[in-house]
Amino acid sequence: MKTHDETTMSLRLVHSAFSREQALTDLDSFRRELAAAAAHTYTLTERVPLHNLTEWRMDRRDGVIRHRSGKFFTVQGIDVDVAGAAIPHWDQPIINQPEVGILGILMKEFDGVLHCLMQFKAEPGNCNGIQVSPTVQATRSNYTRVHGGSAVPYLDYFLDRSRHRVVLDSRQSEQGSWFLRKLNRNMIIEVSEPVEVVEGFHWLTLAQLNELLFTDDVINMDARSVLSCLPFTDVVLDQHGSAHTMVDLLSWITERRSTVDVTVRQRPLHRLSQWRYNGAEFSHVNSRFFDVIGVRVEARGREVGQWDQPMLAARGTGLVAFLTTRLDGVPHVLVQARVEPGFADFVQLAPTVQCIPDNYRDAPRADWPPFLADVLDADRRTVRYDAVQSEEGGRFHHIRSRHLLVEADAVPEHPDFRWMTPHQLTRLLWHSNYVNIQARSLLACLRAVTSVGPVANPRPAAAAPLGRAA
Amino acid sequence: MKTHDETTMSLRLVHSAFSREQALTDLDSFRRELAAAAAHTYTLTERVPLHNLTEWRMDRRDGVIRHRSGKFFTVQGIDVDVAGAAIPHWDQPIINQPEVGILGILMKEFDGVLHCLMQFKAEPGNCNGIQVSPTVQATRSNYTRVHGGSAVPYLDYFLDRSRHRVVLDSRQSEQGSWFLRKLNRNMIIEVSEPVEVVEGFHWLTLAQLNELLFTDDVINMDARSVLSCLPFTDVVLDQHGSAHTMVDLLSWITERRSTVDVTVRQRPLHRLSQWRYNGAEFSHVNSRFFDVIGVRVEARGREVGQWDQPMLAARGTGLVAFLTTRLDGVPHVLVQARVEPGFADFVQLAPTVQCIPDNYRDAPRADWPPFLADVLDADRRTVRYDAVQSEEGGRFHHIRSRHLLVEADAVPEHPDFRWMTPHQLTRLLWHSNYVNIQARSLLACLRAVTSVGPVANPRPAAAAPLGRAA
C-alpha cells in the first residue's frame, strides 16, 4: 500500500517535471508578470550603522543583539573548537532563531499534471527585489502575528492537514555557518479541493520551475529547499546499483558524528577576538567571510511598511558545486561530510565544494579546499549547470552563490567524501539534519538538468576565473 | 542490489530467530555457566554518602558533581518548562555524559545460522551481579583508557570495519529523563573470518537470545537496545498494510517536534526547588522518582578493582507497556510521542505506557497517564509478554522495569498516540533520535514473542496489582 503510493507519487512528480506544455500558466507571461511585480512591489533597503537601529540593541552584558520585543531572532557571538581540523579554532557572529518556521508548497493536479502554487515575494536582502518563493514562508512570529501583519495566505492548509494529502513534512537545517541550530519545517501538501488564487500567486509545473532554475536569482532559497525535498523516490529506482549501500553510508555519517570533537561556546560579540565593530558594522579583522550590518527597510506591497533589522552581508560570491559521475551507468554525486558549528549534530552532507573562492585568492593551491581546483579548472564542456542563486533575503543582504554541476571522472574517495546517488540523498530528506541547504539547493538544480537538460543552460560555461562573481 | 541485500539479511535474521536446535552453544549449559560466573565474578556495591566519595565532588559554584579527572560523566541539575503540558514545570538532577560510546554485537554465521557473540558482564548497579551484554560495551573513556583498564576485547572489529560487513550503525538515545542528550552508537558487525572466543563470551542464536528475554534481568539494557536495531525489514514486508503511511507518521513526529515548547535550563543541584540533600543523597521532597546516591564498588574479575561513583537509585519498579492489536490482520503497537527533557529534539517515540506506577498509588484514576488502567486491568489471557528487565547497571542502581505486551482492541488514537507496525519502528532505527530506549527494549521483547511464542512465558500473567514489584 504505502510503497505503491510512494511509487505513484514519484511517477506523478516525474510527469510534472516533463510537463512544459500542459501547464496552467504560460511561462513567458509569468516572466513578464514577475518583472511587472518587481516594478511596483519592492523594498528600499538602506544600510545604517547597527547602533542606529531603533528596534534592535546590543546588550552590553552578554554582547547579544536583540529586538526590543525579544522576538524574531538574535545575533550573538560564538567561539568554536574543532579538534584536529585544518582550522581548529575560530570565533564568529551567528544568528540565533530557535523557532521552527514553515516553508510550504501547495500542490494540486490540473488536467492530470501536478502544479505548485508559487508566490512573488520581495525580501529586503534580495539583490533583485522579488523572487519566486513557496506558497507559504512563515516564521512562527509571522503566523502568531508578532509584528501585527496580516494573515499569511494559504497557511491553514499547512496547519490543518486533515482533509489534504501530506507529500512531505520534515524539518531541514539552514546555513550551519550563519545560523545556530535553525530548522525550518519543509512541507508539501496536495489538495484536491478548489483553491482560490490570490494576487501574486501562480500555479507552475515542475518543468516550469526547473526551467526557471536556469536563470540567476529567480527561485529563492526557501523554494529550492522545499523543491529538493520532493520525494522523487520509489522502490524500483532504489534498486539501481549505488556505489555504497544505505547502511554503509549511514555508518559513515554515524562515524563522523561520533568521532568529531566540536565545542561551541557563546561569547559576547564585542569580545570576539577576530571581529571588530567599526562604528557601523561587525567585520572580520581580515575583511573576510561576512559583515553584520544594519538595514532600514521600506516596503511597498508587504504586510508591514517600515522596519529596521540586522543582516549578514556578503564578502564575495560563494561557490557550491557537485562533481557528478556515472558509476556502472548510474549517476552519482560526490558528497562531503562537513562540519558546521550551527548544526545540531555538527556534521551534515554538503556539496563537493562549498566556499567563498575569494578567500583563497592569495593562497597556494595546496591550501585550497579539496576539489576546488577540479571545479574551477573544469573544461566548459563538462559543466552541466552554472547559475548564481540567492541565499535567503530575510536575513542575508545580497549573499549569492554560484551553483555548479561538473561532470568528472570517478575520483577516488577520501575519508570525508562519498559518491552517492541523488536518490540516496532524496531518501535522507525524509529526515532532519542529514543534507545541508547548499546540497539541497544543488539537488534541486540537478533535477532541473535531468528534466530540462543542459541545452537550456544559457550561460557560456567557461571555466570560471577565480572570484569572477565578486 | 541494495534492496536485495537488505531482504537477504532480513531473511537470515529470521532464520537465526527460529534456530534453537542448530546453535553452537547449548542453552542449558549457558545458563549454568552464567550462574557459575555470577558466583566468581561480581561487584560488591555499598551505598555511601555522596560527600564521602573520594573521586567525586560537587562544585559549590555550579552545583555539579564531577570526577576529579573531569572525565566519565557529571550529575547536574536542570529546570524544565513544557508549555501547556499536564506538568508544565519541574526541576531534577540529570546525568550529563556527552561522549558517544559503542554498544556493539559481533555476528558470525556457523552452519548457515547467524550467531551473536554475547558477554557475561558484571555491573555495579545490577540487582543480580552478572547479565548478558553486547560483545562490546565501551564508553569513550573505556576505549581511550582513561581509567587505566585493560584493552576492551573485540573493540577493533567495530573501529576498523573495512574487512567486515556493517549490518547496522546508528546512534540511539538513552533514558531522556535521566540522561542529558546521551547517545550511544549501536553497532552490529558481521565477520566471516575466524574469531577467537575469550573467556566469558558465548555465541548465541537470536532464538536463544529471544528465549533468554523471557527470564527476568538476564539480557541487559544495552543488549536489548542493540538487538532492537536488527534490520528485520525488507521491501516485501514493508508492503503490508499499515494504519498510516511512513510520510504521515513522519509528519506527525515533525508536527510534535515543531510545536512543543520545551525549555531546559541548567541549575545547581543545591538550588533545585524540589530536591534536597539529606546528608547522604539527593532525593525528591515527596520521595518520588529516584535518588542520587553514592556507591563504593569492589569488583572481582573486572578491569579495575575498586572505585566509587554517584548513581541513580530506583523509587519503585517502572512499567513499560505496548498495547498491541491487529488492524486488517497486520500487527500494530500503540506508540506514544513523548516529551523527555534529555532528548535532543525533546520528542521521541515511546511505549503506550511508561511510568512508575507507585507514583499514582494515591491518585484518582482520572489523573493516571493514558492507557495505564488498560494495561493494569488487562485480562491475563491478553498478556503476551511479562518480564522485569534491568536498566543499565553502570549508572543505575537496581532500577528495573516491568515489560508488558498486552493485546487490546484497536482503541481510537489520541493526538499523542499512533498505531504503528513493528516494521515501521524498525525502519526508524536506522536513524537517531526516533525511538526511545524503553520502546526499543519492548520491541526486542515483541520480536521474542513472535519467534518463541507466548507459551514460553513462565510468569502467571495475572493482572498486576498496582506497584506489585516495588
Side-chain angles (χ1 to χ4, degrees), chain A residues 110-409:
Chain A
F110 296 97
D111 289 332
V113 180
L114 282 172
H115 285 64
C116 299
L117 188 60
M118 305 302 290
Q119 182 187 177
F120 290 157
K121 193 162 179 69
E123 293 280 11
N126 285 352
C127 61
N128 58 349
I130 283 187
Q131 295 187 11
V132 177
S133 88
T135 319
V136 161
Q137 189 176 310
T139 61
R140 193 148 157 165
S141 317
N142 267 153
Y143 60 81
T144 55
R145 310 232 199 139
V146 175
H147 62 16
S150 55
V152 175
Y154 305 109
L155 183 60
D156 285 343
Y157 289 102
F158 298 89
L159 297 181
D160 176 10
R161 300 172 296 286
S162 54
R163 287 169 301 123
H164 316 302
R165 174 179 179 161
V166 178
V167 178
L168 197 116
D169 183 0
S170 65
R171 295 166 313 145
Q172 299 293 341
S173 62
E174 308 229 330
Q175 291 85 350
S177 295
W178 302 335
F179 277 118
L180 198 60
R181 302 191 179 191
K182 173 125 171 69
L183 292 174
N184 269 324
R185 194 170 168 184
N186 284 234
M187 299 178 80
I188 304 164
I189 300 288
E190 185 187 355
V191 288
S192 48
E193 64 189 36
V195 174
E196 194 190 341
V197 177
V198 175
E199 199 198 324
F201 287 78
H202 298 79
W203 289 108
L204 297 176
T205 66
L206 292 179
Q208 294 178 314
L209 286 165
N210 283 341
E211 201 162 325
L212 292 170
L213 273 171
F214 282 92
T215 309
D216 290 354
D217 305 307
V218 168
I219 305 293
N220 83 357
M221 186 191 91
D222 292 340
R224 299 195 306 276
S225 174
V226 182
L227 290 172
S228 78
C229 294
L230 283 167
F232 275 98
T233 56
D234 67 72
V235 173
V236 180
L237 285 166
D238 266 2
Q239 293 190 40
H240 281 295
S242 47
H244 302 283
T245 64
M246 206 57 153
V247 171
D248 285 337
L249 290 171
L250 290 172
S251 179
W252 170 61
I253 297 168
T254 299
E255 165 85 17
R256 296 283 126 185
R257 289 182 169 172
S258 302
T259 55
V260 74
D261 189 358
V262 183
T263 311
V264 176
R265 286 187 204 81
Q266 195 166 341
R267 171 172 289 189
L269 282 171
H270 57 284
R271 299 257 183 277
L272 294 177
S273 65
Q274 295 154 6
W275 297 74
R276 297 282 175 269
Y277 190 62
N278 63 9
E281 305 168 355
F282 278 99
S283 299
H284 190 261
V285 289
N286 298 333
S287 305
R288 283 160 74 175
F289 307 114
F290 59 84
D291 304 303
V292 183
I293 66 169
V295 293
R296 190 173 294 142
V297 185
E298 199 177 323
R300 307 277 157 81
R302 252 184 86 102
E303 303 96 42
V304 175
Q306 216 169 344
W307 72 94
D308 59 19
Q309 68 172 90
M311 288 192 126
L312 304 195
R315 289 269 181 178
T317 298
L319 173 67
V320 296
F322 268 134
L323 292 185
T324 69
T325 200
R326 284 183 178 264
L327 301 173
D328 288 332
V330 178
H332 283 73
V333 296
L334 189 61
V335 172
Q336 179 187 175
R338 184 180 162 91
V339 173
E340 299 185 21
F343 292 148
D345 268 320
F346 296 125
V347 176
Q348 288 194 16
L349 303 182
T352 322
V353 174
Q354 174 183 326
C355 68
I356 300 175
D358 278 1
N359 289 342
Y360 301 95
R361 192 190 285 276
D362 306 320
R365 286 197 157 213
D367 294 348
W368 286 14
F371 305 110
L372 174 58
D374 303 73
V375 166
L376 294 177
D377 298 344
D379 186 311
R380 54 172 292 174
R381 286 165 301 186
T382 65
V383 176
R384 300 171 63 197
Y385 179 90
D386 185 359
V388 177
Q389 301 291 356
S390 296
E391 307 296 338
E392 202 246 303
R395 301 286 171 267
F396 305 127
H397 188 260
H398 297 199
I399 301 194
R400 302 164 75 221
S401 294
R402 186 181 181 192
H403 284 48
L404 279 170
L405 296 169
V406 178
E407 187 73 17
D409 293 331

Side-chain angles (χ1 to χ4, degrees), chain B residues 9-22:
Chain B
M9 176 49 78
S10 191
L11 291 174
R12 293 170 71 211
L13 294 172
V14 169
H15 182 48
S16 177
F18 284 94
S19 294
R20 229 169 304 169
E21 313 307 324
Q22 297 151 270

Side-chain angles (χ1 to χ4, degrees), chain B residues 290-308:
Chain B
F290 59 85
D291 303 303
V292 183
I293 67 170
V295 292
R296 190 172 297 143
V297 184
E298 199 177 322
R300 306 277 157 81
R302 254 184 86 104
E303 303 95 43
V304 175
Q306 214 170 346
W307 71 93
D308 59 17

